[in-house]
Amino acid sequence: AQFLTDEIKEEKKIQKHKSLPKVSGGWELEVHGTEAKLVRKIAGEKITVTFNINNSIPPSAEEDTQEQQKPDEQEPELTSTPNFVVEVIKDDTKQTLVLDCHYPEDEIGHEGEEESDIFTIREVSFQPTGEADWKDTNYTLNTDSLDWALYDHLMDFLADRGVDNTFADELIELSTALEHQEYIKFLEDLKSFVKCQ
């Protein structure tokens, strides 16, 4: 419990955001535990972006950094890069277009190419609007084998709806803050659990 008390103090000291950072572009945020949902309405459409912070911190290449790290150096900052699902619902259809997006592990932190996207679309499908469970029987398009021109159009389609690189950067910021907040809460719960007789 004493160790956890110190640990919590340290984590609070390095906590960047006391309250969760906002995502620009008129997105409304709902948080349920580790799941977050961003909602935005534009002419005749509702766009929701959902992500879960669990397992969202990529495994760090700790083996390499251990040797070079000086004892007084700060630990490298952890960044949460969750997969996120974009749902586009048009008012007059019974179908929702679902795009499953993720941050490619090798792309993070490589600022080399100006134009490169920091997230990719992995899968695209249509799902019945308003149904909680998605059907495995609905055709799901895997983008690995997709014509690149169509893929570019899908990325443009998302960008037109506010899901672009700026959004993806802000989502990392939000997710990282949420993950850290939940981690501190977990340490606090663990401390009370351990102390409980």
Side-chain angles (χ1 to χ4, degrees):
Q2 187 51 54
F3 171 79
L4 286 166
T5 305
D6 298 341
E7 196 69 7
I8 290 163
K9 207 177 289 169
E10 284 306 305
E11 288 297 333
K12 282 189 170 163
K13 211 186 290 174
I14 60 169
Q15 194 173 14
K16 273 215 297 225
H17 303 278
K18 294 294 171 237
S19 61
L20 295 173
K22 293 257 184 291
V23 175
S24 59
W27 293 90
E28 283 172 32
L29 174 66
E30 298 168 25
V31 179
H32 305 284
T34 59
E35 187 175 85
K37 182 187 252 182
L38 290 157
V39 183
R40 179 175 193 244
K41 291 189 171 74
I42 52 173
E45 292 182 3
K46 176 179 164 189
I47 296 101
T48 68
V49 177
T50 316
F51 65 92
N52 194 316
I53 57 157
N54 281 336
N55 305 316
S56 65
I57 295 186
S60 59
E62 263 176 30
E63 294 73 49
D64 321 337
T65 53
Q66 288 291 242
E67 286 95 64
Q68 299 120 17
Q69 205 175 339
K70 314 232 171 11
D72 56 346
E73 264 183 47
Q74 275 281 253
E75 284 181 30
E77 237 174 76
L78 295 178
T79 306
S80 161
T81 50
N83 297 345
F84 59 96
V85 175
V86 183
E87 293 172 65
V88 181
I89 302 160
K90 287 187 188 274
D91 290 348
D92 47 3
T93 66
K94 304 228 176 335
Q95 286 185 312
T96 297
L97 181 64
V98 178
L99 303 104
D100 190 348
C101 302
H102 76 140
Y103 296 95
E105 274 174 42
D106 49 351
E107 291 298 315
I108 304 298
H110 295 299
E111 314 292 293
E113 301 150 45
E114 280 305 287
E115 283 302 296
S116 92
D117 291 300
I118 62 172
F119 71 97
T120 58
I121 303 169
R122 208 165 21 183
E123 289 181 346
V124 187
S125 69
F126 278 110
Q127 297 296 343
T129 300
E131 291 202 15
D133 295 323
W134 292 341
K135 294 181 165 43
D136 288 341
T137 51
N138 285 11
Y139 179 73
T140 301
L141 174 68
N142 190 309
T143 56
D144 290 347
S145 53
L146 193 57
D147 177 291
W148 63 267
L150 176 53
Y151 180 84
D152 281 348
H153 279 299
L154 286 172
M155 287 298 273
D156 291 343
F157 176 84
L158 283 180
D160 290 343
R161 282 151 187 80
V163 179
D164 53 14
N165 275 348
T166 307
F167 172 87
D169 267 333
E170 291 180 357
L171 190 134
I172 291 177
E173 187 87 356
L174 168 64
S175 181
T176 302
L178 182 60
E179 203 283 333
H180 199 200
Q181 187 177 292
E182 285 295 315
Y183 175 59
I184 292 172
K185 196 163 141 292
F186 171 80
L187 292 178
E188 286 167 342
D189 290 347
L190 187 57
K191 186 177 94 175
S192 359
F193 186 85
V194 170
K195 282 170 80 169
C196 200
Q197 293 302 315

